[in-house]
Amino acid sequence: MDKLPLIKHLRYSLSFPSVTVYHCFMGLVGGISAATLILIFRFLVEFCQHAILGANKDFTTLPGWANFILPLSGAVLILILALTMGVKYYRLGIPFVIYRVKFHHGLIPLRNTINQFLGAALSLICGFSVGREGPAVHMGAAGSAMIGHYLRLPYNATRIMAASGIAAGISASFNTPLAAVIFVMEVVLREYKVHMFLPIMLASACGSIMSRLAFGESHTFEGLDFVILDQLHHVPFLLLSGVIIGCMAALFNQLLLICMRSGQKLPFSARILTAAIATGVLATMFPEIMGTEDASLGLALSESPGMTLLIGVFVGKMVATVLAIGLGIPGGIIGPLFALGGLAGMIALQIMLPIAPDLASHQGVYVVIGMASMMGASLNAPMAALVAILELTNTPAVIVPAMLVLISAQLVASQVFRSRSAFLTQMELQRLPYQISPVVLNLQKIGVQAVMRKDFVLLERPDDSVIQHALERSGDRPVLLINQGDQPWRLATADSTQECGYLLEPMPELSVRRTLGDVYERLSKNRRGAVIIHAGDTNTPIGVVNWQHLTQRLHTDLG
C-alpha cells in the first residue's frame, strides 16, 4: 500500500490543517461507513422491538410481569456479553468517545465497539430508559476512524474522520444533519475550524441522506399541530417554564452524580442487575417510563393528561434514567432527556394554567421547547439542543420561544445550582481526562509530514573531524548520527563551548502518522533538540522535526 503514489499523496495532503478535497473525500468515506453501521443498528433494534411489541412498538401494551422480566432478561444478556468480551472493554458512550478523540486521535478499540453495538441494542430492545444517540456517537466514531487507521492516515486526519463519523451517526439516527454538526463542534471538539467543518458537514449530510433512503423523509415531530406563541404577554410564562425546567435539569445532574459515585462501590454485575430490577419495578407502576422517549412524550402530548400521572411518570422516568446511565447500562442520555424535558414542559404548563387558561392551546409548543431546554441545560449544549428541535419539528417559528426557555433554564441550572455538563461529570468520575493544553490542541491539527525536513545529512560511525566537516558544509540542514546498538539517533549541532566543537543530543523517534502535538510533548521539557520521523522501520528515517519548526508554527495562524 505504501508504494502507491496516490496513497502517499493522500497522507501527505491530509497532514496539513487546510481545506482540501482530500479532507472532504475522507469525511464522505467516513460518513458512509458510520451511517451504514448505524442503519444496521437501527434495523436490528426495530426488527426485535417489532417482534416483541408488535407494529406500534409500545411497551405500555405489555402485561405488568413482562415489563419486569424484559429489563431483567436484558441485563443478564448484557452481563454475558460484557464478561465474554472483557469488562475492561466496557467503557462506552459519549464521554468515552470525547476522551478518545482528544487523547487517542479518535481511535476506539474494537471490543469496546462490539460491546456498544450489541449492549446498546439489548438495552433499547428490553426497554431500559436510555437513548440511541450514545451508540450512534460511539459507533460512528469507531466506524469512521477505523478506515483512517487501516489506510494509515496521519493522526490529525483520523481525528477529523472520527468527528465526521460522529456527525454522520447522529444524523443517520435522527435525520438532524445540522444539529449533528453543531453537537460535534459544541460538545465533542469544542472548537470551530473550517478544515474540520467541511468534512463534518459532508459526512452529516451523507448520514441524513442514507437515513431518508432507509426510513423516509419524515421528521419526528413535524405532524404536531403547533400553535406558535406570537404575543408578548406569553414571554413571562416562557421564562417561568424555563426556570422550572432549569431546576429539574440541575436535579437530574445531581442525582446522576450521586448514583455514579455510589455505583463505583458496587461490583459490575451488581450495578447492572440493580438498574434492571429498579427499571422493572418502576415499569410495573408506570409503563410509560420504558424505552427512550416515545411513550413518555405520547403521554405529555395526550389530551388533558392528569397532573398526578405526569408527575409520577416524570419521577419514575428520572429515577430509571439516572440508574440506567449511572450504573452502566449501555445507551445514550439525550433521548431520555428529551422525554423528561417534554414531561417537564407539560408540568410547567399545568402549573401556569390557573393563571393563564389560554395557554392550554399551546401544549405542543411547551412540550417541544421543554425537550430542548432539558437537553441544553443538562448537557450545557444550548445550540445543539435548539437546532435539534428545529429540525425535529421542521417548524422555524418554534425558535424564538425555545430560545427564551433555553436561556432561562441554562442560567438557572448553571448559575443558581452550579450544575455542570453531565458529560464532563461522567468523565471525571470515570477518571477520563478532558482538558488539554491549547498549544498541544492546535499542534495536534498538523501532521509531522507537513513540516518535517527531508534534506538531512546522515553520518555512520564518524570521528570528530567528519562531524565538524559535515556541520560546516550542511548549512542549516540537520546532521544526524545513525543509531548503533543501544545508542539512539543523535543530532549534531555546532557548539563552540564544547571541546570537540559540537554537541550530540539523543533524538526520540516518532511514526510519520504522528502530529506536531506529539513532537511538542517530546521536546517541550528542554525546548530544544529534534525528533526523527520514520515510516514504520526505525532504521530508515524519512524526516526530522526540530524545535525551531514548532516555534515557527506556534507563531502562525493554524487555521
Side-chain angles (χ1 to χ4, degrees):
M1 184 185 299
D2 288 342
K3 296 180 180 180
L4 295 177
L6 181 61
I7 294 295
K8 286 187 175 182
H9 184 62
L10 176 67
R11 293 169 183 160
Y12 176 73
S13 299
L14 291 175
S15 65
F16 289 86
S18 56
V19 180
T20 68
V21 67
Y22 300 103
H23 285 87
C24 293
F25 174 73
M26 294 313 301
L28 178 62
V29 171
I32 293 173
S33 171
T36 301
L37 196 58
I38 297 306
L39 292 180
I40 293 172
F41 177 80
R42 287 186 64 180
F43 278 122
L44 172 63
V45 171
E46 296 205 5
F47 174 80
C48 294
Q49 285 185 339
H50 185 276
I52 297 172
L53 304 173
N56 293 329
K57 293 178 287 187
D58 186 359
F59 288 97
T60 62
T61 61
L62 295 176
W65 63 267
N67 288 332
F68 180 83
I69 293 297
L70 200 56
L72 194 60
S73 303
V76 172
L77 294 175
I78 290 170
L79 280 175
I80 294 173
L81 172 66
L83 295 174
T84 302
M85 299 303 300
V87 176
K88 69 177 181 178
Y89 294 104
Y90 200 74
R91 282 189 165 180
L92 316 170
I94 296 177
F96 179 69
V97 172
I98 295 174
Y99 161 71
R100 297 297 299 193
V101 168
K102 285 187 174 292
F103 293 92
H104 296 275
H105 314 290
L107 300 174
I108 299 176
L110 179 61
R111 290 193 183 186
N112 291 77
T113 305
I114 294 173
N115 267 332
Q116 177 70 93
F117 185 97
L118 297 177
L122 288 168
S123 301
L124 293 169
I125 292 166
C126 295
F128 282 100
S129 184
V130 295
R132 66 173 184 266
E133 81 290 334
V137 168
H138 188 127
M139 292 183 289
S144 184
M146 193 179 300
I147 294 178
H149 181 66
Y150 173 75
L151 295 176
R152 296 173 60 193
L153 299 182
Y155 285 136
N156 62 307
T158 61
R159 184 170 178 259
I160 296 176
M161 289 193 69
S164 300
I166 293 170
I170 296 174
S171 185
S173 289
F174 301 99
N175 191 19
T176 54
L178 183 55
V181 174
I182 299 299
F183 180 85
V184 171
M185 295 296 184
E186 187 177 42
V187 176
V188 180
L189 297 178
R190 306 186 78 178
E191 58 177 332
Y192 291 81
K193 297 293 182 182
V194 175
H195 76 281
M196 298 179 177
F197 201 72
L198 290 185
I200 290 172
M201 282 199 301
L202 186 58
S204 184
C206 175
S208 179
I209 291 171
M210 293 178 66
S211 174
R212 293 175 185 181
L213 290 174
F215 295 99
E217 295 277 350
S218 63
H219 298 268
T220 305
F221 300 107
E222 67 178 350
L224 291 179
D225 184 19
F226 288 120
V227 179
I228 300 301
L229 306 174
D230 57 359
Q231 298 175 4
L232 289 178
H233 76 270
H234 286 292
V235 172
F237 298 107
L238 290 171
L239 295 176
L240 178 58
S241 66
V243 171
I244 295 172
I245 294 171
C247 294
M248 294 178 177
L251 175 62
F252 175 85
N253 283 6
Q254 185 61 33
L255 291 176
L256 182 61
L257 176 62
I258 294 172
C259 180
M260 292 186 68
R261 283 177 176 168
S262 303
Q264 290 178 339
K265 303 173 184 178
L266 298 175
F268 175 73
S269 57
R271 296 202 306 269
I272 300 299
L273 291 174
T274 298
I277 293 171
T279 300
V281 171
L282 290 169
T284 58
M285 296 182 288
F286 302 104
E288 292 86 357
I289 72 164
M290 296 191 73
T292 303
E293 76 269 6
D294 292 345
S296 298
L297 290 178
L299 172 65
L301 292 167
S302 63
E303 187 175 351
S304 302
M307 188 65 162
T308 303
L309 180 59
L310 280 173
I311 294 175
V313 173
F314 178 83
V315 172
K317 186 72 174 177
M318 180 174 285
V319 173
T321 303
V322 164
L323 290 174
I325 301 297
L327 297 180
I329 297 296
I333 194 174
I334 296 179
L337 283 176
F338 276 167
L340 291 170
L343 292 167
M346 191 58 193
I347 291 172
L349 179 64
Q350 296 278 14
I351 292 173
M352 296 183 294
L353 277 179
I355 306 173
D358 62 314
L359 293 179
S361 60
H362 302 291
Q363 176 182 356
V365 178
Y366 274 86
V367 170
V368 168
I369 61 181
M371 294 165 56
S373 302
M374 192 76 177
M375 172 189 166
S378 180
L379 303 182
N380 195 21
M383 274 298 296
L386 182 63
V387 176
I389 290 303
L390 170 62
E391 292 187 294
L392 288 171
T393 61
N394 200 28
T395 307
V398 79
I399 293 177
V400 173
M403 288 175 68
L404 293 173
V405 180
L406 260 168
I407 291 169
S408 56
Q410 184 81 38
L411 288 175
V412 168
S414 62
Q415 300 300 309
V416 177
F417 294 100
R418 303 295 179 187
S419 180
R420 302 171 62 219
S421 167
F423 290 147
L424 297 185
T425 300
Q426 288 178 276
M427 293 180 73
E428 287 181 351
L429 289 176
Q430 294 175 24
R431 296 182 178 86
L432 297 175
Y434 59 89
Q435 292 181 331
I436 190 168
S437 164
V439 172
V440 175
L441 183 64
N442 276 333
L443 291 175
Q444 280 183 346
K445 300 178 179 65
I446 310 171
V448 293
Q449 285 191 81
V451 299
M452 71 181 185
R453 298 193 59 168
K454 300 179 182 179
D455 58 343
F456 51 85
V457 178
L458 274 179
L459 300 178
E460 185 174 6
R461 294 187 176 88
D463 55 26
D464 291 347
S465 61
V466 172
I467 296 175
Q468 291 174 349
H469 181 69
L471 288 170
E472 292 171 359
R473 295 177 60 88
S474 66
D476 66 342
R477 293 187 298 163
V479 176
L480 314 181
L481 274 66
I482 295 177
N483 62 336
Q484 300 172 9
D486 295 333
Q487 290 287 338
W489 290 95
R490 289 170 291 169
L491 172 70
T493 53
D495 190 339
S496 59
T497 63
Q498 303 294 319
E499 182 178 348
C500 59
Y502 61 86
L503 176 67
L504 292 181
E505 299 176 277
M507 296 179 63
E509 300 177 20
L510 286 176
S511 164
V512 71
R513 300 181 62 190
R514 294 286 183 171
T515 70
L516 290 189
D518 300 303
V519 177
Y520 179 84
E521 291 179 341
R522 298 294 182 94
L523 302 181
S524 59
K525 181 178 181 181
N526 297 321
R527 296 187 175 273
R528 60 175 299 162
V531 171
I532 191 80
I533 306 300
H534 62 81
D537 182 0
T538 56
N539 293 318
T540 309
I542 62 172
V544 177
V545 180
N546 59 31
W547 180 253
Q548 286 70 29
H549 291 137
L550 294 180
T551 56
Q552 291 171 6
R553 300 304 304 200
L554 288 174
H555 294 88
T556 302
D557 182 9
L558 300 180

